[in-house]
Amino acid sequence: IFPATDGVRDILACDRHSIYRFNPDWSGELVYQSGGNLDWGAIASELQQQQGWIYANQEILVVHDLERMGFPPAQVKFWRSYGVKAFVHVPIMAGQKLWGILTVYQHQPRQWQEREVRLVSQVADQIGVAIQQADLLIQEQKAAEIASAAEQAMSQFLTLMSHELRTPLNSILGFAQLLSLDKSLSEAQLENLGIIYRSGAHLLTLINDVLEMSKIEAGQEQLYFEQFEIQGLLTSLREMLGLKAKNKGVELSCSCDVNVPPLVKADQQKLRQVLINLLGNGIKFTDQGRVSLWVSLTPDHRLSFRVEDTGCGIPANQIESIFEPFIQSEAGRAQEGTGLGLTISKKFVQLMGGELVVTSIVGQGSCFEFAIAFDVAESPTPVNLPVPTKLLLLPHQAVPRILVAEDDPDTRDLMVTTMANLGFITQTVVDGDQAIAQWQAWQPDLIWLDLGMPRVSGTEVTSYIRQQERVQQIPLGKAVKIIGITSSLLASDRDQLLAAGCDHFITKPFDLGLMFAKVRECLNLSYDYGQTTVAPPVKNYSEIEHQSQQMPSLWHQQLKFAAKAADEEAIATLVEQVPAEFAALISFLNQSVNDFRLHQISHLLK
């Protein structure tokens, strides 16, 4: 800014010019000068004593002849020592604040013209504007640095909280699953284990809600797409909320239009959380009547969700505020809850490309609607995977060696115990350096690698191993399989693992069935599942068809409609009408409902 003022000296044909800046205590410093060197010490002292009063009032000081202006002897002596006989002082105002002084000098007396003084004044005004803009830029840069530091701090907080809270839950839920496989336990003990597992799962949901809200506030929330069955999602919602609705005497229904693809790809976790919140609120604020969820397709091929209730409704003047954090309607304040649910739901819907809207009539009920983008998935993803009981090896197939690299002792013990019980050979390490050393010395077939290990992180370990494999020209089929373990909810952390070279990853707290499914996929293994809930293949299909053809046509029509509407209660009622001797048909219908495969019923009826 300051060198750009050199032009004023050329235009006025004066000897020199300078820019002086005031400090808050009215002291100051000479920040720029051209055409000669001045020591403003004496003038600065006097300006500090006067507190710049004449310039603070935006007064312009014009001196035609220093010797005849009546200045104090000290000032006259000061200016004379620099050969100054005439000058113009113009205040520089940054907004309403006095920033400094612009001065032009002459070595001999000079009759300053009004246009010359006006020119200096205009230059001073431009300097003030430029300084204001520069200060704003500096403030914005500082604000950006502060925001960046805050975002980094929040990211570190989320990572730490995810690890510190979710890692212990991993052990609780994991060992509860492991103990439930013990056939020596009594029915009461199994029920107690179920209580522990369900309570831990509920605590995990609460922790996730708090972390999700923190991620939203930090702008770090991302979508994580996975394929899932719509009917499976609706069934889980009915199972989760059905008892709560039944205890209140409220009818709960979750239905899907026949045109909706059975298998879709979207962020199931966020979608489930939104629907649980909306249905839960509907049940909470409905004392009689019904709460319903209807899923359909919009004309522009988006998934549409509509949740209706016959509850107390929301006053019109409160509809906008219910989406604000910690804000509840008058009815809501009489119920349990923190007021975060709708805020998170609205943000999640926006993240999925939709908008959550509500219409409500006091005393009649409310309706929440939104639509999201999705993709049609091609093949189903297994859910509720069973835990195997034994590792099955082919002839001459060696027992796989598994290295568990995990610094948390409880998680490490859980993984080693479950792996050893199935017959795997296992070894453990507690940090990244040990993981690299053990990989080199023991050459395991698969490594379970925690992302947040001390010394050397799991990501760095993976990158090093993959680099060494390339140097040693190890074929891709012979490379060690690496499954990353993370307690982070951030998609960026998961992407880091995969980009570094991990074959798969799982998130704490992880399901044991999923853990063994990942190992089976990586190492091409087979398991013995013992007694499991996995649906057996359909046998004697011709017999099932024959028995179905013996049922009345009205029964066929009702079953066809119930299957398309995903009305499990109606299907159960129709199954009760099947004669007991048609056992194959009864088993087929029940199994299709339990496995969320209602399309099999529709296929049978065709």
Side-chain angles (χ1 to χ4, degrees):
I1 295 170
F2 301 145
T5 63
D6 288 350
V8 71
R9 183 167 58 88
D10 298 332
I11 293 172
L12 295 178
C14 57
D15 296 328
R16 60 183 68 161
H17 84 286
S18 65
I19 299 175
Y20 179 87
R21 178 179 184 176
F22 284 111
N23 293 325
D25 63 353
W26 294 107
S27 63
E29 59 178 334
L30 191 65
V31 295
Y32 186 78
Q33 59 180 324
S34 68
N37 293 321
L38 294 173
D39 181 1
W40 267 62
I43 301 300
S45 178
E46 182 173 338
L47 288 172
Q48 184 175 17
Q49 292 176 7
Q50 296 176 352
Q51 296 189 350
W53 64 270
I54 186 171
Y55 304 108
N57 292 324
Q58 302 187 38
E59 296 287 343
I60 298 175
L61 179 59
V62 180
V63 177
H64 303 289
D65 189 344
L66 180 66
E67 303 288 350
R68 299 182 179 183
M69 291 290 293
F71 281 99
Q75 285 194 29
V76 174
K77 182 179 180 181
F78 168 78
W79 292 117
R80 188 186 296 147
S81 66
Y82 288 101
V84 173
K85 296 292 184 68
F87 57 84
V88 178
H89 280 342
V90 179
I92 299 172
M93 306 296 296
Q96 299 299 316
K97 181 181 178 182
L98 175 63
W99 184 89
I101 303 170
L102 169 64
T103 306
V104 294
Y105 309 93
Q106 196 71 28
H107 69 280
Q108 58 190 7
R110 175 170 177 170
Q111 189 66 32
W112 299 100
Q113 302 299 314
E114 182 180 350
R115 60 178 177 80
E116 295 174 331
V117 175
R118 188 164 57 247
L119 173 63
V120 179
S121 179
Q122 290 173 348
V123 172
D125 290 342
Q126 293 302 317
I127 293 174
V129 171
I131 288 171
Q132 262 191 303
Q133 293 176 340
D135 287 343
L136 286 174
L137 178 61
I138 292 172
Q139 291 173 13
E140 290 176 358
Q141 290 173 338
K142 289 181 178 179
E145 292 173 359
I146 293 173
S148 176
E151 183 177 344
Q152 185 176 3
M154 178 59 75
S155 179
Q156 292 174 349
F157 165 78
L158 291 173
T159 301
L160 177 62
M161 286 300 98
S162 292
H163 184 270
E164 294 299 323
L165 296 175
R166 293 165 66 87
T167 297
L169 273 176
N170 182 68
S171 300
I172 294 172
L173 297 176
F175 277 109
Q177 290 181 80
L178 187 61
L179 286 172
S180 66
L181 300 175
D182 189 344
K183 300 187 182 303
S184 66
L185 296 180
S186 66
E187 185 175 341
Q189 290 172 323
L190 288 173
E191 177 61 27
N192 290 337
L193 275 176
I195 293 173
I196 293 173
Y197 187 85
R198 289 190 295 272
S199 299
H202 178 65
L203 179 59
L204 175 63
T205 300
L206 296 178
I207 291 172
N208 287 344
D209 284 348
V210 174
L211 293 176
E212 291 289 0
M213 194 63 195
S214 299
K215 286 197 293 180
I216 290 173
E217 294 297 329
Q220 296 184 351
E221 191 59 72
Q222 296 177 341
L223 290 177
Y224 180 68
F225 289 92
E226 59 180 323
Q227 57 189 40
F228 60 94
E229 292 180 333
I230 287 290
Q231 291 296 346
L233 173 62
L234 300 185
T235 299
S236 68
L237 292 172
R238 281 193 294 266
E239 291 177 348
M240 187 179 303
L241 301 170
L243 182 59
K244 182 179 180 181
K246 184 177 180 180
N247 290 339
K248 291 194 66 177
V250 175
E251 177 188 351
L252 173 64
S253 65
C254 300
S255 305
C256 181
D257 189 89
V258 67
N259 294 325
V260 174
L263 199 63
V264 301
K265 192 172 184 180
D267 193 320
Q268 180 183 201
Q269 180 181 354
K270 291 181 178 59
L271 178 59
R272 181 193 300 273
Q273 189 167 346
V274 171
L275 296 176
I276 289 174
N277 183 263
L278 297 180
L279 289 171
N281 282 348
I283 296 170
K284 184 192 302 183
F285 299 120
T286 301
D287 293 328
Q288 59 181 0
R290 60 177 174 77
V291 176
S292 62
L293 165 63
W294 178 252
V295 186
S296 60
L297 277 183
T298 64
D300 60 346
H301 197 71
R302 291 159 64 86
L303 272 180
S304 173
F305 298 85
R306 185 174 76 247
V307 177
E308 293 182 288
D309 64 64
T310 57
C312 59
I314 306 168
N317 61 351
Q318 297 180 19
I319 285 182
E320 291 298 327
S321 63
I322 62 173
F323 294 109
E324 297 296 324
F326 306 107
I327 300 296
Q328 295 173 301
S329 65
E330 292 178 1
R333 285 191 284 271
Q335 305 281 346
E336 73 277 4
T338 63
L340 281 177
L342 284 177
T343 304
I344 295 175
S345 297
K346 186 177 181 67
K347 295 290 186 182
F348 278 1
V349 170
Q350 290 174 342
L351 195 64
M352 290 185 286
E355 191 65 39
L356 181 60
V357 296
V358 56
T359 55
S360 184
I361 300 176
V362 175
Q364 296 186 27
S366 303
C367 177
F368 289 82
E369 294 182 271
F370 65 93
I372 63 170
F374 76 100
D375 292 325
V376 177
E378 298 179 355
S379 59
T381 299
V383 293
N384 299 323
L385 295 168
V387 179
T389 58
K390 185 180 178 182
L391 174 64
L392 300 178
L393 297 176
L394 297 173
H396 310 297
Q397 185 178 11
V399 178
R401 289 181 290 187
I402 309 293
L403 176 62
V404 178
E406 168 64 63
D407 63 312
D408 179 69
D410 293 332
T411 302
R412 192 169 61 246
D413 290 346
L414 170 64
M415 299 184 72
V416 170
T417 301
T418 53
M419 291 284 170
N421 285 348
L422 260 68
F424 289 101
I425 301 173
T426 62
Q427 288 195 13
T428 63
V429 293
V430 299
D431 62 43
D433 286 336
Q434 293 182 12
I436 292 174
Q438 199 65 4
W439 165 73
Q440 293 171 328
W442 194 47
Q443 296 184 347
D445 299 291
L446 183 143
I447 302 176
W448 285 104
L449 192 59
D450 183 28
L451 175 65
M453 285 188 302
R455 297 171 65 86
V456 180
S457 71
T459 304
E460 294 171 324
V461 170
T462 303
S463 298
Y464 178 83
I465 290 176
R466 295 308 186 210
Q467 181 184 14
Q468 292 300 309
E469 288 175 336
R470 288 191 293 269
V471 171
Q472 299 172 24
Q473 297 183 343
I474 296 177
L476 189 61
K478 299 292 184 179
V480 63
K481 301 297 182 180
I482 302 177
I483 303 178
I485 308 170
T486 174
S487 56
S488 172
L489 296 175
L490 299 178
S492 58
D493 288 340
R494 303 169 186 174
D495 293 341
Q496 264 188 337
L497 277 174
L498 297 177
C502 282
D503 297 278
H504 295 285
F505 73 86
I506 60 173
T507 304
K508 296 178 183 177
F510 48 79
D511 183 89
L512 294 182
L514 176 62
M515 183 179 78
F516 285 110
K518 296 287 188 184
V519 176
R520 178 187 61 197
E521 182 178 348
C522 285
L523 300 181
N524 194 25
L525 300 174
S526 297
Y527 298 130
D528 179 4
Y529 288 95
Q531 293 182 349
T532 71
T533 57
V534 176
V538 177
K539 298 179 180 179
N540 302 322
Y541 195 79
S542 59
E543 181 182 357
I544 295 171
E545 284 185 321
H546 176 70
Q547 293 176 357
S548 172
Q549 292 168 3
Q550 306 307 307
M551 299 299 294
S553 59
L554 178 60
W555 181 88
H556 275 252
Q557 294 174 5
Q558 293 174 336
L559 181 60
K560 182 178 181 180
F561 180 80
K564 285 186 175 181
D567 191 340
E568 295 184 6
E569 295 180 1
I571 295 175
T573 301
L574 292 168
V575 170
E576 292 175 357
Q577 300 175 17
V578 180
E581 58 267 24
F582 290 175
L585 177 59
I586 294 173
S587 175
F588 172 81
L589 295 175
N590 287 331
Q591 194 67 57
S592 297
V593 172
N594 292 336
D595 292 345
F596 317 132
R597 300 186 183 279
L598 300 185
H599 62 279
Q600 292 184 158
I601 298 177
S602 299
H603 180 76
L604 172 69
L605 297 176
K606 290 180 181 179

